[in-house]
Amino acid sequence: MDRLLEIAGTIADTEVTAYLLRQDFVLYGLVAIALLGLLAGAIGPFIVMRQMSFSVHGASELALTGAAAALLFGLNLGLGAILGSVVAALIFGLMGARASQRDSSIGVVMAFGLGMAVLFIHLYPGRSGTSFSLLTGQIVGVSEHGVVQMAVVAAIICVTLIALYRPLVFSSADPEVAEARGVPVRAINLIFAVLVGLAAAQAVQVVGALLVLSLLITPAAAAA
């Protein structure tokens, strides 16, 4: 009897799984996390090598600011997150080369951006759940448009990393020698900062601003 109940339970679980896999929101969520896994695996090692972990956290906070502003003014959340994150990444890329200077500047900008995000969310007159999802993410809320946007951004990031792979590795491992050999280190730094901003913006929409650092840094740091 117990065996029959176990078999019946297994069949029921299989039917539930098959039913869920026929739902659009489940399929969109699976595609979204697959794309995020691809992004994290491609860009994470360079972030760790360049000691830009704090920059990722700052970019995710500013992505939250951009998304919150878009939410308040009735614009597309994804584009708002991308704009906020890319602007933040460019600001971080233009800061001092020394880690101590960069981290201090990122801390100041991040605090200002987080305060603005809280203000925008407070002023938003809609449902509080929509606002809270910006912090924690909402995997079941990924739409077809969001998946397409994420796929385009993932393609841009991967193609750029492939095109710049050799000078990017050189400038990441030893920027002084790379610059002496004629590698445009500053331009590569700005391009990579934009890529980090794009990746952080995509992750914010799925896992939230609070977990972007874990997604983009932890696997790469463990591998290193």
Side-chain angles (χ1 to χ4, degrees):
M1 185 64 182
D2 292 339
R3 180 59 177 170
L4 290 176
L5 290 175
E6 182 180 349
I7 294 175
T10 302
I11 294 174
D13 292 340
T14 303
E15 291 177 351
V16 170
T17 302
Y19 172 76
L20 289 175
L21 290 177
R22 290 195 297 268
Q23 306 305 308
D24 289 341
F25 74 93
V26 175
L27 296 176
Y28 294 153
L30 291 175
V31 174
I33 60 175
L35 290 172
L36 284 182
L38 174 64
L39 286 180
I43 203 170
F46 291 106
I47 295 174
V48 173
M49 190 183 302
R50 288 171 165 264
Q51 300 180 354
M52 291 181 63
S53 300
F54 196 41
S55 299
V56 172
H57 187 50
S60 67
E61 298 290 358
L62 271 293
L64 173 64
T65 304
L71 183 68
L72 178 62
F73 296 109
L75 304 176
N76 182 271
L77 262 66
L79 294 179
I82 290 175
L83 181 60
S85 187
V86 169
V87 169
L90 284 174
I91 293 174
F92 300 154
L94 292 172
M95 287 176 179
R98 294 183 179 179
S100 58
Q101 296 176 349
R102 185 175 64 244
D103 289 348
S104 300
S105 303
I106 291 172
V108 173
V109 175
M110 186 176 66
F112 175 78
L114 185 59
M116 294 299 294
V118 172
L119 175 63
F120 293 148
I121 292 176
H122 173 71
L123 294 176
Y124 177 61
R127 292 173 54 249
S128 58
T130 304
S131 306
F132 187 71
S133 67
L134 297 175
L135 289 174
T136 60
Q138 194 172 20
I139 184 65
V140 296
V142 179
S143 63
E144 181 179 3
H145 177 267
V147 170
V148 172
Q149 175 182 287
M150 196 173 296
V152 171
V153 172
I156 292 173
I157 292 175
C158 291
V159 169
T160 306
L161 288 176
I162 292 172
L164 297 178
Y165 182 76
R166 288 177 62 85
L168 183 59
V169 172
F170 194 5
S171 61
S172 299
D174 198 333
E176 290 82 8
V177 175
E179 188 171 11
R181 292 293 299 271
V183 177
V185 174
R186 190 170 182 81
I188 290 177
N189 289 344
L190 291 178
I191 294 173
F192 185 73
V194 172
L195 297 182
V196 170
L198 290 173
Q202 298 308 305
V204 163
Q205 301 175 65
V206 178
V207 300
L210 300 178
L211 295 179
V212 170
L213 193 65
S214 299
L215 176 68
L216 295 179
I217 302 303
T218 304

